[in-house]
Amino acid sequence: MSDTPPRPVPVDPRLLEILVCPLTRTALEYDRVHDELISRAAGLAFPIRDGIPIMLADEARRLDDA
Amino acid sequence: MEPMDTPFDRRAVRHHRDRAAATTADVADILRDAAERLLDRLDDTTRRFTRALDVGGRGIVAPRLRARGIETFATDLSPAMAARAGAPAIAADEEFLPFAPASFDLIVANLSLHWVNDLPGALIQLRLALRPDGLFLASLPALGTLAELRTALTDAEASLTGGAAPRVSPFPDLRDCAGLLQRAGFALPVADGEDITLAYANPFALLRDLRAAGETNAVALRDRRPPPRALFPVALASLPARDGRHPVTLRLAMLTGWSPAPSQKQPAQRGSGQISLTEIFGDGSPPISNK
């Protein structure tokens, strides 16, 4: 799951305006290469699948696994 | 985790909604009826809304908001169900919402918050995602919903096994709903009830519809063993019938609340009254009739 290739569906930039980390409520960074939303504070990368950010802690990648 | 703090099994809720993403169109009539009753509230206000969040609208609510010219984001615990609403959509847990403060001026949750463990917490998070003077609209199944089914299942199971497990979700009492909004910090909270009565010729169709909507049992303390083979046939046979059909009640609590703003009507300051209530109502002694 962690090696998902970049998706052809681009993320809607409006999503990046309104989303924060669901656990720490801090800002997210968009990783264009992996198509993930990174929460440094939580140490999690939330995947984006088919243009839909999956903001579920269960499905996020832990950053130290990278 | 203490089962009492988490009445619902959120993994089961997620699974039920994933599965139901393919079948929810089968129950679109019921969802549409509830959504339209809820969105009618938008016509009662002169406010114009510009950016909305649809929480768990199952592909029914977001298109209706967009048709009103409102930019709409949709969210669901199930990514497959979120996708039904069309882009932009987000998969998120209502108990851990990922929205920046003051992102929306309208939030609509149609029949989607009743499997949330911490409903007051979710309502607070939703309020914080609203701009000042933003509107929150929700429909929730309230106590009385599926009452016929609950009674039939409990009676049948008690007669078959001498005990009964929770098979229908515990729903909040309508009378508690406005208080729930108020405790979550909403201004001008209103909860009113609307009953939708469905009539089923074949009671098994009710179970099929509940499954199609992703509404099968996710109570954490549910009995996970297969139910006694006779349970559902006995229970469904005992559902009350009228003219050969089985009425099933959905008692919806329609909730309206506003994110507080200084422009809203406020209660007068305590002590600012000019007339003593004692002058109006007396001091508690028996009234004296005026001749």
Side-chain angles (χ1 to χ4, degrees):
Chain A
M1 194 150 59
S2 57
D3 291 323
T4 328
R7 289 281 173 177
V9 181
V11 69
D12 187 328
R14 292 175 299 169
L15 286 169
L16 306 180
E17 279 172 37
I18 59 160
L19 290 176
V20 294
C21 171
L23 303 181
T24 62
R25 312 205 52 77
T26 50
L28 298 164
E29 292 165 32
Y30 176 46
D31 178 340
R32 201 171 296 276
V33 177
H34 298 98
D35 212 19
E36 289 177 329
L37 292 167
I38 311 280
S39 168
R40 299 267 167 224
L44 292 174
F46 296 93
I48 300 176
R49 291 190 209 122
D50 303 323
I52 299 179
I54 312 294
M55 306 306 292
L56 304 170
D58 295 6
E59 303 201 18
R61 181 174 65 83
R62 291 204 60 83
L63 287 178
D64 50 21
D65 300 344
Chain B
M1 276 198 244
E2 291 288 314
M4 289 309 287
D5 294 340
T6 54
F8 303 124
D9 175 349
R10 297 285 291 169
R11 279 177 184 278
V13 174
R14 158 79 193 274
H15 172 63
H16 294 163
R17 291 185 82 85
D18 277 342
R19 187 176 64 190
T23 55
T24 188
D26 298 352
V27 287
D29 287 351
I30 302 166
L31 297 173
R32 204 177 292 128
D33 188 358
E36 274 162 11
R37 289 171 190 237
L38 189 59
L39 296 181
D40 276 351
R41 266 86 178 154
L42 291 178
D43 301 327
D44 299 341
T45 166
T46 53
R47 268 287 303 282
R48 307 286 294 171
F49 299 97
T50 56
R51 181 174 267 193
L53 177 68
D54 159 25
V55 181
R58 296 177 174 97
I60 299 286
V61 173
R64 282 173 169 68
L65 292 172
R66 291 179 187 134
R68 288 170 182 258
I70 305 170
E71 177 188 26
T72 301
F73 295 73
T75 188
D76 201 286
L77 181 59
S78 154
M81 196 66 100
R84 288 191 60 83
I90 304 113
D93 186 334
E94 295 88 351
E95 298 179 7
F96 298 93
L97 288 171
F99 302 108
S103 291
F104 308 102
D105 56 11
L106 173 65
I107 296 180
V108 178
N110 186 41
L111 295 177
S112 57
L113 293 175
H114 53 290
W115 295 114
V116 170
N117 280 312
D118 178 13
L119 187 54
L123 292 176
I124 290 169
Q125 293 186 48
L126 290 167
R127 175 176 59 75
L128 293 173
L130 279 173
R131 295 175 194 152
D133 210 28
L135 175 62
F136 173 67
L137 286 179
S139 66
L140 275 180
L143 191 66
T145 294
L146 300 180
E148 303 88 350
L149 181 65
R150 185 197 303 269
T151 304
L153 282 168
T154 306
D155 291 353
E157 190 161 6
S159 70
L160 289 167
T161 68
R167 298 191 187 275
V168 173
S169 178
F171 297 119
D173 194 327
L174 176 62
R175 286 173 301 182
D176 298 331
C177 288
L180 200 59
L181 285 174
Q182 190 163 36
R183 283 202 301 282
F186 283 99
L188 312 168
V190 176
D192 37 41
E194 293 203 18
D195 282 0
I196 297 181
T197 305
L198 309 171
Y200 282 91
N202 173 0
F204 280 95
L206 165 63
L207 300 185
R208 191 193 61 213
D209 280 359
L210 288 170
R211 190 177 167 94
E215 295 292 341
T216 45
N217 197 357
V219 173
L221 292 175
R222 69 190 182 280
D223 189 342
R224 288 155 205 254
R225 294 167 300 180
R229 189 178 296 268
L231 173 63
F232 280 87
V234 168
L236 294 175
S238 72
L239 277 177
R242 202 182 303 139
D243 305 326
R245 298 172 80 83
H246 301 276
V248 172
T249 307
L250 301 185
R251 177 153 301 151
L252 303 187
M254 298 294 197
L255 312 188
T256 314
W258 295 83
S259 165
S263 58
Q264 290 161 350
K265 286 185 181 164
Q266 307 287 331
Q269 282 277 322
R270 194 174 163 84
S272 64
Q274 298 295 309
I275 299 168
S276 164
L277 290 180
T278 315
E279 281 175 33
I280 300 171
F281 296 117
D283 56 7
S285 52
I288 302 156
S289 60
N290 291 323
K291 291 282 163 71

